[in-house]
Amino acid sequence: MTGTLSVDPADAASFASLPLDLDAEELLEVVEGFIARGIAIESIFVDLLAPSARRLGQHWEEDECDFLDVTMGLWRLQEVMRQVALRFPADDSDGDRARSALFSPMPGDRHALGTLMIEEVFARAGWQTEALIEPKRKELLQIIAERHFDVIGLTVSCDCTNANLSDLICSIRSVSRTPGVQVFIGGRMVNANPGIVDEVGADGTAPDARSALVLAEKLVARKRAGSVRTEFPLG
């Protein structure tokens, strides 16, 4: 049984740069200490690991460490998240497994941590989920064409153009096996400019995995109720 508490912002700030100095096993010990104190697994992902990943990116942007250091730090965070998910699995009895979602980074984007994190949060909320890692555009569209998904979530951390993102979203809608499939976008590029949602024809955005879950619940509920598309100001 896992806890229900949230990570304290001060603890998150202290943890943020540790992936640069500790190996994955040492980081996992620190995280398990939080879990032992009653911190919820979702909060570990959203309030501890995700801010740490953003902080690593800031270190690189501010020339405080090199690309290799950041890459290794992100890999350690990803490994910690994987181990936590394995050691503290979600309760399969929770949620409505009839809801389904596919998460993917933009084709060409090699950063998968955000995609894996949001997929794990949705799975713990009872969704049937799948995450793609470094997909080719053709692979992504083929899966969408062959299988039903209520929601497609794209993480956009690379510097892709609005035209490329808009074209991909248009292609997703045209090949989707699900009429009226809901597409939302998130990640560094989108958080920096939430207005991009309208520009590329997405259905919405959210600043983190927890907010993305709220967004998806609204999108699917409106779709099932037969409502027309509207924007949700969650960013």
Side-chain angles (χ1 to χ4, degrees):
M1 181 176 180
T2 57
T4 58
L5 302 178
S6 297
V7 174
D8 186 273
D11 288 333
S14 298
F15 178 88
S17 297
L18 289 183
L20 295 174
D21 301 316
L22 303 182
D23 62 28
E25 185 175 340
E26 292 170 325
L27 277 178
L28 182 59
E29 290 178 1
V30 175
V31 170
E32 288 182 327
F34 283 106
I35 296 172
R37 286 160 45 188
I39 303 298
I41 300 301
E42 180 193 86
S43 185
I44 292 293
F45 293 153
V46 177
D47 302 319
L48 190 70
L49 303 186
S52 179
R54 290 193 292 269
R55 183 65 185 125
L56 294 187
Q58 291 170 357
H59 280 307
W60 181 48
E61 291 170 358
E62 296 166 6
D63 292 325
E64 295 173 349
C65 58
D66 61 27
F67 181 76
L68 179 58
D69 289 333
V70 171
T71 299
M72 288 303 300
L74 291 174
W75 177 86
R76 291 164 186 150
L77 286 175
Q78 185 170 315
E79 180 62 18
V80 167
M81 188 183 70
R82 188 179 73 87
Q83 288 297 326
V84 169
L86 288 172
R87 298 184 188 193
F88 303 93
D91 184 349
D92 288 338
S93 65
D94 291 343
D96 175 10
R97 289 287 172 181
R99 300 168 301 177
S100 58
L102 174 69
F103 300 102
S104 173
M106 282 290 292
D109 189 345
R110 305 187 69 178
H111 298 286
L113 181 61
T115 299
L116 294 172
M117 188 171 295
I118 191 172
E119 188 270 339
E120 185 64 32
V121 168
F122 271 64
R124 287 178 176 276
W127 286 60
Q128 182 178 344
T129 62
E130 183 171 342
L132 301 180
I133 307 300
E134 297 187 31
K136 301 292 186 182
R137 177 187 169 97
K138 181 179 180 180
E139 174 193 3
L140 172 61
L141 293 177
Q142 182 174 350
I143 290 174
I144 293 170
E146 293 176 350
R147 297 165 54 187
H148 166 80
F149 296 102
D150 292 299
V151 168
I152 306 295
L154 298 173
T155 54
V156 191
S157 58
C158 61
D159 293 321
C160 69
T161 66
N162 285 13
N164 286 342
L165 182 53
S166 178
D167 180 69
L168 178 60
I169 291 174
C170 183
S171 296
I172 287 173
R173 296 192 192 283
S174 67
V175 305
S176 176
R177 186 175 178 181
T178 307
V181 64
Q182 305 296 298
V183 182
F184 66 93
I185 57 177
R188 177 177 60 83
M189 177 178 166
V190 184
N191 288 343
N193 176 26
I196 196 176
V197 172
D198 286 328
E199 297 169 13
V200 300
D203 290 295
T205 187
D208 57 46
R210 184 184 292 119
S211 299
L213 178 61
V214 174
L215 168 63
E217 299 281 3
K218 289 182 177 181
L219 288 172
V220 172
R222 282 178 177 259
K223 176 187 173 185
R224 291 183 175 180
S227 299
V228 296
R229 175 181 176 272
T230 59
E231 295 300 329
F232 300 101
L234 297 179

